[in-house]
Amino acid sequence: MDQKGSVSSHQDKPVPRCSLGSSSGLHYGALVNSVSSLAPLASDKPPISQRRAYVAIAVLCYVNLLNYMERYTIAGVLSDIKNFFDISDSTAGLLQTVFICSFLLLAPLFGYLGDRYNRKYIMLCGLSVWLLTAAGSSLVSKSQFWLLVLLRALVGVGEASYSTVAPTIIGDLFSGGQRSVMICIFYIFIPVGSGLGYITGAGSANLTGDWRWALRITPIMGLVGLVLMVFLCPNPPRGAAETHGDGVTGHSSYVEDVKYLHLSKSYVWSSLGVTSLAFLTGALAFWLPTFLARAHVTQGLRPSCTGESCNSTDSPKSYIFGAVTVATGILGGALGTTISRQLRDRFSHADPLICAVGMLGSVPCLFITIFVASSSIPVTYVFIFFGELLLSLNWAVLADILLYVVVPTRRATAEALQITVGHLLGDAGSPYLLGVISDAILSSNPDTSDFRSLMYSLLLCPFMGILGGVFFLITTMYITEDKKAVQRLVEGNLFLRISAPEPQVAFIFRSS
């Protein structure tokens, strides 16, 4: 598909500095062969100072940390919740499923809004909803499990608004290697927050003797995040980092945006890889603490959890698992970004290859973790560490891939659709599915222990790791051309802006 520029004069109204138009194609043609060698004009200044950009990153990381702390606090006290409401494994898994379902269903809406309206206001509204519903979850009585399920679903509203928009703001504050580092820092807080969720959940429940206090910590901390975001988080022009502060504008419909993303093969295949990763990590994050608790019972290291006096936090498993998750998140995220920066200039397909190695490399670690838990808890933690380390290579690299294979005016939509597909087919159903498999094994063979039934259901996770690795290997075949296509479009618009003789001239790109 060739892109043809048409020039039209507008004397009476201001003209956008740069427009990406509404083309849904991927091959933009050679607009200007020497654009990449152009130096920015002396008058070009970033709209956000570097100091303010770093402050904004700190605020966004803090809120991201709280999002994932809150998401996995329930996993840290899941045995207590099961016992309090007297529910089965499959019903307990439903708590995470309803949260993820609302998260993924609303993500496209916030993606659409994020590409067209003030992103700061969108995040503030979502964060406010998140604070109210998360705090309300801790007030549910024993006879109102349905209300807990409803409130967990509403928590997803707040997270959907934040997760679709925040990465695009980072993409507009930084570019190149600096962007990779900032994205890495931001995504490191996913496993760090998850790990701290286990620790703070189990710790607060243990200190107070009431699991509901575990759900009150993050809303209190979230109030601080809300205030910080009001005063310290900017809303930079879309594409500001690539256009030396000018930004780009788009006038495409949502259907055209979806068509554009559908035609980007590297985006499609990497999103399928993200889906496999989400299925795998969602299932492990939700069920591994409970699996480890049952392993302690199997080995006679702690009594079986029966009666209302049962307290899952008596075992150090939540603290250890949380600490392992934090450590592997930091190490894996930093390692993945470092390898990416070292190899990307020499191998244009290095990023999806790193993701494939992380997924496939985790598979043997997961198999060993599942089968060795009944005999050796220390060895189990060792292989959990290496498995999570390999999976953590992917998060920051995947976010960087999306930012450079999608044009700036469609990044929020791309984030939203990737979240929707990834969670819909991934961790929205994986905790519930593993709970159903575990219950089915127990009902078909009453002599099987609850540890064995959960162990067999967890075997689905390594196979999803293999599938995800294959998806990322396919991505390596297309990512080079898709990245170049985006660069040609953005740089072509920059060249036309620089060379325009009069400010009244607008360049509109149409696809033939």
mmCIF file with all atom_site columns, all heavy atoms in Angstrom, residues 260-262 264-272 401-402 405-406 413-419 475 478 482:
data_model
loop_
_atom_site.group_PDB
_atom_site.id
_atom_site.type_symbol
_atom_site.label_atom_id
_atom_site.label_alt_id
_atom_site.label_comp_id
_atom_site.label_asym_id
_atom_site.label_entity_id
_atom_site.label_seq_id
_atom_site.pdbx_PDB_ins_code
_atom_site.Cartn_x
_atom_site.Cartn_y
_atom_site.Cartn_z
_atom_site.occupancy
_atom_site.B_iso_or_equiv
_atom_site.pdbx_formal_charge
_atom_site.auth_seq_id
_atom_site.auth_comp_id
_atom_site.auth_asym_id
_atom_site.auth_atom_id
_atom_site.pdbx_PDB_model_num
ATOM 1   N N   . TYR A 1 260 ? -6.056 -1.659  11.459 1.00 0.00 ? 260 TYR A N   1
ATOM 2   C CA  . TYR A 1 260 ? -4.612 -1.420  11.420 1.00 0.00 ? 260 TYR A CA  1
ATOM 3   C C   . TYR A 1 260 ? -3.862 -2.425  12.299 1.00 0.00 ? 260 TYR A C   1
ATOM 4   O O   . TYR A 1 260 ? -2.859 -3.018  11.894 1.00 0.00 ? 260 TYR A O   1
ATOM 5   C CB  . TYR A 1 260 ? -4.330 0.009   11.885 1.00 0.00 ? 260 TYR A CB  1
ATOM 6   C CG  . TYR A 1 260 ? -2.899 0.272   12.274 1.00 0.00 ? 260 TYR A CG  1
ATOM 7   C CD1 . TYR A 1 260 ? -1.930 0.549   11.323 1.00 0.00 ? 260 TYR A CD1 1
ATOM 8   C CD2 . TYR A 1 260 ? -2.503 0.230   13.617 1.00 0.00 ? 260 TYR A CD2 1
ATOM 9   C CE1 . TYR A 1 260 ? -0.609 0.775   11.681 1.00 0.00 ? 260 TYR A CE1 1
ATOM 10  C CE2 . TYR A 1 260 ? -1.199 0.463   13.993 1.00 0.00 ? 260 TYR A CE2 1
ATOM 11  C CZ  . TYR A 1 260 ? -0.245 0.734   13.018 1.00 0.00 ? 260 TYR A CZ  1
ATOM 12  O OH  . TYR A 1 260 ? 1.049  0.953   13.378 1.00 0.00 ? 260 TYR A OH  1
ATOM 13  N N   . LEU A 1 261 ? -4.349 -2.616  13.527 1.00 0.00 ? 261 LEU A N   1
ATOM 14  C CA  . LEU A 1 261 ? -3.691 -3.542  14.445 1.00 0.00 ? 261 LEU A CA  1
ATOM 15  C C   . LEU A 1 261 ? -3.808 -4.979  13.961 1.00 0.00 ? 261 LEU A C   1
ATOM 16  O O   . LEU A 1 261 ? -2.866 -5.776  14.117 1.00 0.00 ? 261 LEU A O   1
ATOM 17  C CB  . LEU A 1 261 ? -4.305 -3.393  15.844 1.00 0.00 ? 261 LEU A CB  1
ATOM 18  C CG  . LEU A 1 261 ? -4.092 -2.040  16.520 1.00 0.00 ? 261 LEU A CG  1
ATOM 19  C CD1 . LEU A 1 261 ? -4.917 -1.940  17.791 1.00 0.00 ? 261 LEU A CD1 1
ATOM 20  C CD2 . LEU A 1 261 ? -2.614 -1.811  16.822 1.00 0.00 ? 261 LEU A CD2 1
ATOM 21  N N   . HIS A 1 262 ? -4.945 -5.320  13.361 1.00 0.00 ? 262 HIS A N   1
ATOM 22  C CA  . HIS A 1 262 ? -5.141 -6.668  12.848 1.00 0.00 ? 262 HIS A CA  1
ATOM 23  C C   . HIS A 1 262 ? -4.137 -6.993  11.753 1.00 0.00 ? 262 HIS A C   1
ATOM 24  O O   . HIS A 1 262 ? -3.706 -8.150  11.615 1.00 0.00 ? 262 HIS A O   1
ATOM 25  C CB  . HIS A 1 262 ? -6.570 -6.808  12.329 1.00 0.00 ? 262 HIS A CB  1
ATOM 26  C CG  . HIS A 1 262 ? -6.833 -8.087  11.585 1.00 0.00 ? 262 HIS A CG  1
ATOM 27  N ND1 . HIS A 1 262 ? -6.886 -9.312  12.216 1.00 0.00 ? 262 HIS A ND1 1
ATOM 28  C CD2 . HIS A 1 262 ? -7.032 -8.338  10.262 1.00 0.00 ? 262 HIS A CD2 1
ATOM 29  C CE1 . HIS A 1 262 ? -7.110 -10.259 11.327 1.00 0.00 ? 262 HIS A CE1 1
ATOM 30  N NE2 . HIS A 1 262 ? -7.208 -9.698  10.137 1.00 0.00 ? 262 HIS A NE2 1
ATOM 31  N N   . SER A 1 264 ? -1.094 -5.848  11.532 1.00 0.00 ? 264 SER A N   1
ATOM 32  C CA  . SER A 1 264 ? 0.271  -5.904  12.057 1.00 0.00 ? 264 SER A CA  1
ATOM 33  C C   . SER A 1 264 ? 0.539  -7.310  12.598 1.00 0.00 ? 264 SER A C   1
ATOM 34  O O   . SER A 1 264 ? 0.117  -7.666  13.701 1.00 0.00 ? 264 SER A O   1
ATOM 35  C CB  . SER A 1 264 ? 0.448  -4.867  13.164 1.00 0.00 ? 264 SER A CB  1
ATOM 36  O OG  . SER A 1 264 ? 1.725  -4.986  13.754 1.00 0.00 ? 264 SER A OG  1
ATOM 37  N N   . LYS A 1 265 ? 1.231  -8.111  11.829 1.00 0.00 ? 265 LYS A N   1
ATOM 38  C CA  . LYS A 1 265 ? 1.430  -9.514  12.206 1.00 0.00 ? 265 LYS A CA  1
ATOM 39  C C   . LYS A 1 265 ? 2.244  -9.653  13.484 1.00 0.00 ? 265 LYS A C   1
ATOM 40  O O   . LYS A 1 265 ? 1.970  -10.541 14.309 1.00 0.00 ? 265 LYS A O   1
ATOM 41  C CB  . LYS A 1 265 ? 2.099  -10.264 11.056 1.00 0.00 ? 265 LYS A CB  1
ATOM 42  C CG  . LYS A 1 265 ? 1.209  -10.389 9.829  1.00 0.00 ? 265 LYS A CG  1
ATOM 43  C CD  . LYS A 1 265 ? 1.893  -11.168 8.712  1.00 0.00 ? 265 LYS A CD  1
ATOM 44  C CE  . LYS A 1 265 ? 0.977  -11.287 7.495  1.00 0.00 ? 265 LYS A CE  1
ATOM 45  N NZ  . LYS A 1 265 ? 1.625  -11.999 6.375  1.00 0.00 ? 265 LYS A NZ  1
ATOM 46  N N   . SER A 1 266 ? 3.238  -8.800  13.659 1.00 0.00 ? 266 SER A N   1
ATOM 47  C CA  . SER A 1 266 ? 4.042  -8.898  14.887 1.00 0.00 ? 266 SER A CA  1
ATOM 48  C C   . SER A 1 266 ? 3.202  -8.547  16.112 1.00 0.00 ? 266 SER A C   1
ATOM 49  O O   . SER A 1 266 ? 3.383  -9.131  17.184 1.00 0.00 ? 266 SER A O   1
ATOM 50  C CB  . SER A 1 266 ? 5.260  -7.985  14.799 1.00 0.00 ? 266 SER A CB  1
ATOM 51  O OG  . SER A 1 266 ? 4.877  -6.648  14.580 1.00 0.00 ? 266 SER A OG  1
ATOM 52  N N   . TYR A 1 267 ? 2.280  -7.591  15.973 1.00 0.00 ? 267 TYR A N   1
ATOM 53  C CA  . TYR A 1 267 ? 1.383  -7.254  17.083 1.00 0.00 ? 267 TYR A CA  1
ATOM 54  C C   . TYR A 1 267 ? 0.453  -8.423  17.388 1.00 0.00 ? 267 TYR A C   1
ATOM 55  O O   . TYR A 1 267 ? 0.239  -8.768  18.554 1.00 0.00 ? 267 TYR A O   1
ATOM 56  C CB  . TYR A 1 267 ? 0.566  -6.003  16.737 1.00 0.00 ? 267 TYR A CB  1
ATOM 57  C CG  . TYR A 1 267 ? -0.512 -5.694  17.757 1.00 0.00 ? 267 TYR A CG  1
ATOM 58  C CD1 . TYR A 1 267 ? -0.197 -5.106  18.976 1.00 0.00 ? 267 TYR A CD1 1
ATOM 59  C CD2 . TYR A 1 267 ? -1.845 -6.019  17.503 1.00 0.00 ? 267 TYR A CD2 1
ATOM 60  C CE1 . TYR A 1 267 ? -1.184 -4.837  19.915 1.00 0.00 ? 267 TYR A CE1 1
ATOM 61  C CE2 . TYR A 1 267 ? -2.841 -5.749  18.442 1.00 0.00 ? 267 TYR A CE2 1
ATOM 62  C CZ  . TYR A 1 267 ? -2.501 -5.161  19.641 1.00 0.00 ? 267 TYR A CZ  1
ATOM 63  O OH  . TYR A 1 267 ? -3.471 -4.913  20.570 1.00 0.00 ? 267 TYR A OH  1
ATOM 64  N N   . VAL A 1 268 ? -0.100 -9.046  16.358 1.00 0.00 ? 268 VAL A N   1
ATOM 65  C CA  . VAL A 1 268 ? -1.045 -10.149 16.555 1.00 0.00 ? 268 VAL A CA  1
ATOM 66  C C   . VAL A 1 268 ? -0.359 -11.338 17.217 1.00 0.00 ? 268 VAL A C   1
ATOM 67  O O   . VAL A 1 268 ? -0.853 -11.873 18.223 1.00 0.00 ? 268 VAL A O   1
ATOM 68  C CB  . VAL A 1 268 ? -1.675 -10.564 15.221 1.00 0.00 ? 268 VAL A CB  1
ATOM 69  C CG1 . VAL A 1 268 ? -2.484 -11.846 15.390 1.00 0.00 ? 268 VAL A CG1 1
ATOM 70  C CG2 . VAL A 1 268 ? -2.564 -9.446  14.673 1.00 0.00 ? 268 VAL A CG2 1
ATOM 71  N N   . TRP A 1 269 ? 0.777  -11.752 16.687 1.00 0.00 ? 269 TRP A N   1
ATOM 72  C CA  . TRP A 1 269 ? 1.444  -12.944 17.228 1.00 0.00 ? 269 TRP A CA  1
ATOM 73  C C   . TRP A 1 269 ? 2.022  -12.694 18.624 1.00 0.00 ? 269 TRP A C   1
ATOM 74  O O   . TRP A 1 269 ? 1.965  -13.568 19.490 1.00 0.00 ? 269 TRP A O   1
ATOM 75  C CB  . TRP A 1 269 ? 2.530  -13.423 16.278 1.00 0.00 ? 269 TRP A CB  1
ATOM 76  C CG  . TRP A 1 269 ? 1.992  -14.107 15.063 1.00 0.00 ? 269 TRP A CG  1
ATOM 77  C CD1 . TRP A 1 269 ? 1.973  -13.639 13.784 1.00 0.00 ? 269 TRP A CD1 1
ATOM 78  C CD2 . TRP A 1 269 ? 1.362  -15.393 15.010 1.00 0.00 ? 269 TRP A CD2 1
ATOM 79  N NE1 . TRP A 1 269 ? 1.366  -14.544 12.941 1.00 0.00 ? 269 TRP A NE1 1
ATOM 80  C CE2 . TRP A 1 269 ? 0.989  -15.627 13.661 1.00 0.00 ? 269 TRP A CE2 1
ATOM 81  C CE3 . TRP A 1 269 ? 1.064  -16.365 15.967 1.00 0.00 ? 269 TRP A CE3 1
ATOM 82  C CZ2 . TRP A 1 269 ? 0.347  -16.799 13.263 1.00 0.00 ? 269 TRP A CZ2 1
ATOM 83  C CZ3 . TRP A 1 269 ? 0.424  -17.533 15.563 1.00 0.00 ? 269 TRP A CZ3 1
ATOM 84  C CH2 . TRP A 1 269 ? 0.078  -17.740 14.233 1.00 0.00 ? 269 TRP A CH2 1
ATOM 85  N N   . SER A 1 270 ? 2.564  -11.486 18.851 1.00 0.00 ? 270 SER A N   1
ATOM 86  C CA  . SER A 1 270 ? 3.066  -11.193 20.201 1.00 0.00 ? 270 SER A CA  1
ATOM 87  C C   . SER A 1 270 ? 1.915  -11.117 21.204 1.00 0.00 ? 270 SER A C   1
ATOM 88  O O   . SER A 1 270 ? 2.084  -11.490 22.375 1.00 0.00 ? 270 SER A O   1
ATOM 89  C CB  . SER A 1 270 ? 3.861  -9.886  20.199 1.00 0.00 ? 270 SER A CB  1
ATOM 90  O OG  . SER A 1 270 ? 3.040  -8.781  19.877 1.00 0.00 ? 270 SER A OG  1
ATOM 91  N N   . SER A 1 271 ? 0.736  -10.660 20.754 1.00 0.00 ? 271 SER A N   1
ATOM 92  C CA  . SER A 1 271 ? -0.426 -10.632 21.652 1.00 0.00 ? 271 SER A CA  1
ATOM 93  C C   . SER A 1 271 ? -0.872 -12.045 22.019 1.00 0.00 ? 271 SER A C   1
ATOM 94  O O   . SER A 1 271 ? -1.310 -12.289 23.146 1.00 0.00 ? 271 SER A O   1
ATOM 95  C CB  . SER A 1 271 ? -1.582 -9.867  20.995 1.00 0.00 ? 271 SER A CB  1
ATOM 96  O OG  . SER A 1 271 ? -1.250 -8.506  20.818 1.00 0.00 ? 271 SER A OG  1
ATOM 97  N N   . LEU A 1 272 ? -0.766 -12.976 21.086 1.00 0.00 ? 272 LEU A N   1
ATOM 98  C CA  . LEU A 1 272 ? -1.069 -14.374 21.406 1.00 0.00 ? 272 LEU A CA  1
ATOM 99  C C   . LEU A 1 272 ? -0.053 -14.925 22.407 1.00 0.00 ? 272 LEU A C   1
ATOM 100 O O   . LEU A 1 272 ? -0.401 -15.706 23.306 1.00 0.00 ? 272 LEU A O   1
ATOM 101 C CB  . LEU A 1 272 ? -1.077 -15.215 20.129 1.00 0.00 ? 272 LEU A CB  1
ATOM 102 C CG  . LEU A 1 272 ? -2.229 -14.942 19.164 1.00 0.00 ? 272 LEU A CG  1
ATOM 103 C CD1 . LEU A 1 272 ? -2.048 -15.740 17.871 1.00 0.00 ? 272 LEU A CD1 1
ATOM 104 C CD2 . LEU A 1 272 ? -3.571 -15.280 19.806 1.00 0.00 ? 272 LEU A CD2 1
ATOM 105 N N   . ILE A 1 401 ? 7.958  -3.777  22.759 1.00 0.00 ? 401 ILE A N   1
ATOM 106 C CA  . ILE A 1 401 ? 7.578  -4.240  21.425 1.00 0.00 ? 401 ILE A CA  1
ATOM 107 C C   . ILE A 1 401 ? 6.317  -3.527  20.957 1.00 0.00 ? 401 ILE A C   1
ATOM 108 O O   . ILE A 1 401 ? 6.240  -3.021  19.828 1.00 0.00 ? 401 ILE A O   1
ATOM 109 C CB  . ILE A 1 401 ? 7.362  -5.768  21.410 1.00 0.00 ? 401 ILE A CB  1
ATOM 110 C CG1 . ILE A 1 401 ? 8.705  -6.498  21.540 1.00 0.00 ? 401 ILE A CG1 1
ATOM 111 C CG2 . ILE A 1 401 ? 6.654  -6.203  20.122 1.00 0.00 ? 401 ILE A CG2 1
ATOM 112 C CD1 . ILE A 1 401 ? 8.569  -8.001  21.662 1.00 0.00 ? 401 ILE A CD1 1
ATOM 113 N N   . LEU A 1 402 ? 5.310  -3.466  21.811 1.00 0.00 ? 402 LEU A N   1
ATOM 114 C CA  . LEU A 1 402 ? 4.057  -2.818  21.417 1.00 0.00 ? 402 LEU A CA  1
ATOM 115 C C   . LEU A 1 402 ? 4.277  -1.350  21.071 1.00 0.00 ? 402 LEU A C   1
ATOM 116 O O   . LEU A 1 402 ? 3.714  -0.843  20.091 1.00 0.00 ? 402 LEU A O   1
ATOM 117 C CB  . LEU A 1 402 ? 3.033  -2.950  22.547 1.00 0.00 ? 402 LEU A CB  1
ATOM 118 C CG  . LEU A 1 402 ? 1.634  -2.406  22.259 1.00 0.00 ? 402 LEU A CG  1
ATOM 119 C CD1 . LEU A 1 402 ? 0.571  -3.253  22.949 1.00 0.00 ? 402 LEU A CD1 1
ATOM 120 C CD2 . LEU A 1 402 ? 1.484  -0.949  22.704 1.00 0.00 ? 402 LEU A CD2 1
ATOM 121 N N   . VAL A 1 405 ? 5.974  -1.061  17.467 1.00 0.00 ? 405 VAL A N   1
ATOM 122 C CA  . VAL A 1 405 ? 5.324  -1.611  16.269 1.00 0.00 ? 405 VAL A CA  1
ATOM 123 C C   . VAL A 1 405 ? 3.932  -1.012  16.056 1.00 0.00 ? 405 VAL A C   1
ATOM 124 O O   . VAL A 1 405 ? 3.214  -1.416  15.140 1.00 0.00 ? 405 VAL A O   1
ATOM 125 C CB  . VAL A 1 405 ? 5.212  -3.155  16.314 1.00 0.00 ? 405 VAL A CB  1
ATOM 126 C CG1 . VAL A 1 405 ? 6.583  -3.796  16.418 1.00 0.00 ? 405 VAL A CG1 1
ATOM 127 C CG2 . VAL A 1 405 ? 4.302  -3.614  17.446 1.00 0.00 ? 405 VAL A CG2 1
ATOM 128 N N   . VAL A 1 406 ? 3.544  -0.036  16.898 1.00 0.00 ? 406 VAL A N   1
ATOM 129 C CA  . VAL A 1 406 ? 2.241  0.632   16.776 1.00 0.00 ? 406 VAL A CA  1
ATOM 130 C C   . VAL A 1 406 ? 2.479  2.139   16.755 1.00 0.00 ? 406 VAL A C   1
ATOM 131 O O   . VAL A 1 406 ? 3.270  2.660   17.549 1.00 0.00 ? 406 VAL A O   1
ATOM 132 C CB  . VAL A 1 406 ? 1.312  0.256   17.956 1.00 0.00 ? 406 VAL A CB  1
ATOM 133 C CG1 . VAL A 1 406 ? -0.005 1.017   17.861 1.00 0.00 ? 406 VAL A CG1 1
ATOM 134 C CG2 . VAL A 1 406 ? 1.057  -1.244  17.977 1.00 0.00 ? 406 VAL A CG2 1
ATOM 135 N N   . THR A 1 413 ? -5.256 2.081   22.240 1.00 0.00 ? 413 THR A N   1
ATOM 136 C CA  . THR A 1 413 ? -6.139 1.046   21.695 1.00 0.00 ? 413 THR A CA  1
ATOM 137 C C   . THR A 1 413 ? -5.412 -0.290  21.604 1.00 0.00 ? 413 THR A C   1
ATOM 138 O O   . THR A 1 413 ? -5.980 -1.344  21.913 1.00 0.00 ? 413 THR A O   1
ATOM 139 C CB  . THR A 1 413 ? -6.640 1.466   20.305 1.00 0.00 ? 413 THR A CB  1
ATOM 140 O OG1 . THR A 1 413 ? -7.395 2.676   20.428 1.00 0.00 ? 413 THR A OG1 1
ATOM 141 C CG2 . THR A 1 413 ? -7.527 0.391   19.692 1.00 0.00 ? 413 THR A CG2 1
ATOM 142 N N   . ALA A 1 414 ? -4.152 -0.257  21.185 1.00 0.00 ? 414 ALA A N   1
ATOM 143 C CA  . ALA A 1 414 ? -3.358 -1.492  21.096 1.00 0.00 ? 414 ALA A CA  1
ATOM 144 C C   . ALA A 1 414 ? -3.172 -2.120  22.473 1.00 0.00 ? 414 ALA A C   1
ATOM 145 O O   . ALA A 1 414 ? -3.305 -3.344  22.637 1.00 0.00 ? 414 ALA A O   1
ATOM 146 C CB  . ALA A 1 414 ? -1.998 -1.196  20.461 1.00 0.00 ? 414 ALA A CB  1
ATOM 147 N N   . GLU A 1 415 ? -2.861 -1.299  23.472 1.00 0.00 ? 415 GLU A N   1
ATOM 148 C CA  . GLU A 1 415 ? -2.734 -1.799  24.842 1.00 0.00 ? 415 GLU A CA  1
ATOM 149 C C   . GLU A 1 415 ? -4.046 -2.429  25.299 1.00 0.00 ? 415 GLU A C   1
ATOM 150 O O   . GLU A 1 415 ? -4.062 -3.513  25.898 1.00 0.00 ? 415 GLU A O   1
ATOM 151 C CB  . GLU A 1 415 ? -2.362 -0.653  25.793 1.00 0.00 ? 415 GLU A CB  1
ATOM 152 C CG  . GLU A 1 415 ? -0.946 -0.141  25.661 1.00 0.00 ? 415 GLU A CG  1
ATOM 153 C CD  . GLU A 1 415 ? 0.065  -0.985  26.415 1.00 0.00 ? 415 GLU A CD  1
ATOM 154 O OE1 . GLU A 1 415 ? -0.356 -1.957  27.077 1.00 0.00 ? 415 GLU A OE1 1
ATOM 155 O OE2 . GLU A 1 415 ? 1.263  -0.676  26.337 1.00 0.00 ? 415 GLU A OE2 1
ATOM 156 N N   . ALA A 1 416 ? -5.149 -1.746  25.010 1.00 0.00 ? 416 ALA A N   1
ATOM 157 C CA  . ALA A 1 416 ? -6.451 -2.216  25.471 1.00 0.00 ? 416 ALA A CA  1
ATOM 158 C C   . ALA A 1 416 ? -6.826 -3.548  24.838 1.00 0.00 ? 416 ALA A C   1
ATOM 159 O O   . ALA A 1 416 ? -7.293 -4.468  25.516 1.00 0.00 ? 416 ALA A O   1
ATOM 160 C CB  . ALA A 1 416 ? -7.517 -1.168  25.150 1.00 0.00 ? 416 ALA A CB  1
ATOM 161 N N   . LEU A 1 417 ? -6.638 -3.662  23.530 1.00 0.00 ? 417 LEU A N   1
ATOM 162 C CA  . LEU A 1 417 ? -6.995 -4.904  22.848 1.00 0.00 ? 417 LEU A CA  1
ATOM 163 C C   . LEU A 1 417 ? -6.090 -6.053  23.285 1.00 0.00 ? 417 LEU A C   1
ATOM 164 O O   . LEU A 1 417 ? -6.548 -7.195  23.422 1.00 0.00 ? 417 LEU A O   1
ATOM 165 C CB  . LEU A 1 417 ? -6.923 -4.719  21.336 1.00 0.00 ? 417 LEU A CB  1
ATOM 166 C CG  . LEU A 1 417 ? -8.002 -3.807  20.738 1.00 0.00 ? 417 LEU A CG  1
ATOM 167 C CD1 . LEU A 1 417 ? -7.804 -3.678  19.226 1.00 0.00 ? 417 LEU A CD1 1
ATOM 168 C CD2 . LEU A 1 417 ? -9.395 -4.339  21.038 1.00 0.00 ? 417 LEU A CD2 1
ATOM 169 N N   . GLN A 1 418 ? -4.821 -5.752  23.506 1.00 0.00 ? 418 GLN A N   1
ATOM 170 C CA  . GLN A 1 418 ? -3.917 -6.803  23.985 1.00 0.00 ? 418 GLN A CA  1
ATOM 171 C C   . GLN A 1 418 ? -4.313 -7.254  25.382 1.00 0.00 ? 418 GLN A C   1
ATOM 172 O O   . GLN A 1 418 ? -4.288 -8.451  25.700 1.00 0.00 ? 418 GLN A O   1
ATOM 173 C CB  . GLN A 1 418 ? -2.471 -6.302  23.983 1.00 0.00 ? 418 GLN A CB  1
ATOM 174 C CG  . GLN A 1 418 ? -1.452 -7.412  24.202 1.00 0.00 ? 418 GLN A CG  1
ATOM 175 C CD  . GLN A 1 418 ? -0.034 -6.918  24.024 1.00 0.00 ? 418 GLN A CD  1
ATOM 176 O OE1 . GLN A 1 418 ? 0.594  -6.443  24.969 1.00 0.00 ? 418 GLN A OE1 1
ATOM 177 N NE2 . GLN A 1 418 ? 0.489  -7.041  22.808 1.00 0.00 ? 418 GLN A NE2 1
ATOM 178 N N   . ILE A 1 419 ? -4.708 -6.305  26.227 1.00 0.00 ? 419 ILE A N   1
ATOM 179 C CA  . ILE A 1 419 ? -5.189 -6.650  27.564 1.00 0.00 ? 419 ILE A CA  1
ATOM 180 C C   . ILE A 1 419 ? -6.454 -7.496  27.477 1.00 0.00 ? 419 ILE A C   1
ATOM 181 O O   . ILE A 1 419 ? -6.605 -8.508  28.171 1.00 0.00 ? 419 ILE A O   1
ATOM 182 C CB  . ILE A 1 419 ? -5.454 -5.366  28.374 1.00 0.00 ? 419 ILE A CB  1
ATOM 183 C CG1 . ILE A 1 419 ? -4.129 -4.738  28.810 1.00 0.00 ? 419 ILE A CG1 1
ATOM 184 C CG2 . ILE A 1 419 ? -6.315 -5.659  29.607 1.00 0.00 ? 419 ILE A CG2 1
ATOM 185 C CD1 . ILE A 1 419 ? -4.290 -3.371  29.440 1.00 0.00 ? 419 ILE A CD1 1
ATOM 186 N N   . THR A 1 475 ? 6.624  -14.491 15.926 1.00 0.00 ? 475 THR A N   1
ATOM 187 C CA  . THR A 1 475 ? 6.722  -13.026 15.920 1.00 0.00 ? 475 THR A CA  1
ATOM 188 C C   . THR A 1 475 ? 8.049  -12.565 15.339 1.00 0.00 ? 475 THR A C   1
ATOM 189 O O   . THR A 1 475 ? 8.112  -11.509 14.680 1.00 0.00 ? 475 THR A O   1
ATOM 190 C CB  . THR A 1 475 ? 6.559  -12.470 17.346 1.00 0.00 ? 475 THR A CB  1
ATOM 191 O OG1 . THR A 1 475 ? 5.342  -12.953 17.909 1.00 0.00 ? 475 THR A OG1 1
ATOM 192 C CG2 . THR A 1 475 ? 6.535  -10.955 17.344 1.00 0.00 ? 475 THR A CG2 1
ATOM 193 N N   . TYR A 1 478 ? 8.236  -11.331 11.621 1.00 0.00 ? 478 TYR A N   1
ATOM 194 C CA  . TYR A 1 478 ? 7.553  -10.142 11.106 1.00 0.00 ? 478 TYR A CA  1
ATOM 195 C C   . TYR A 1 478 ? 7.958  -8.838  11.776 1.00 0.00 ? 478 TYR A C   1
ATOM 196 O O   . TYR A 1 478 ? 7.653  -7.764  11.261 1.00 0.00 ? 478 TYR A O   1
ATOM 197 C CB  . TYR A 1 478 ? 6.034  -10.313 11.278 1.00 0.00 ? 478 TYR A CB  1
ATOM 198 C CG  . TYR A 1 478 ? 5.478  -11.555 10.624 1.00 0.00 ? 478 TYR A CG  1
ATOM 199 C CD1 . TYR A 1 478 ? 5.097  -12.658 11.391 1.00 0.00 ? 478 TYR A CD1 1
ATOM 200 C CD2 . TYR A 1 478 ? 5.339  -11.643 9.244  1.00 0.00 ? 478 TYR A CD2 1
ATOM 201 C CE1 . TYR A 1 478 ? 4.591  -13.801 10.797 1.00 0.00 ? 478 TYR A CE1 1
ATOM 202 C CE2 . TYR A 1 478 ? 4.834  -12.777 8.641  1.00 0.00 ? 478 TYR A CE2 1
ATOM 203 C CZ  . TYR A 1 478 ? 4.456  -13.857 9.424  1.00 0.00 ? 478 TYR A CZ  1
ATOM 204 O OH  . TYR A 1 478 ? 3.964  -14.984 8.826  1.00 0.00 ? 478 TYR A OH  1
ATOM 205 N N   . ASP A 1 482 ? 7.591  -4.576  10.474 1.00 0.00 ? 482 ASP A N   1
ATOM 206 C CA  . ASP A 1 482 ? 6.553  -3.781  11.138 1.00 0.00 ? 482 ASP A CA  1
ATOM 207 C C   . ASP A 1 482 ? 7.151  -2.592  11.885 1.00 0.00 ? 482 ASP A C   1
ATOM 208 O O   . ASP A 1 482 ? 6.578  -1.498  11.900 1.00 0.00 ? 482 ASP A O   1
ATOM 209 C CB  . ASP A 1 482 ? 5.756  -4.660  12.102 1.00 0.00 ? 482 ASP A CB  1
ATOM 210 C CG  . ASP A 1 482 ? 4.831  -5.626  11.380 1.00 0.00 ? 482 ASP A CG  1
ATOM 211 O OD1 . ASP A 1 482 ? 4.600  -5.422  10.175 1.00 0.00 ? 482 ASP A OD1 1
ATOM 212 O OD2 . ASP A 1 482 ? 4.349  -6.582  12.015 1.00 0.00 ? 482 ASP A OD2 1
#
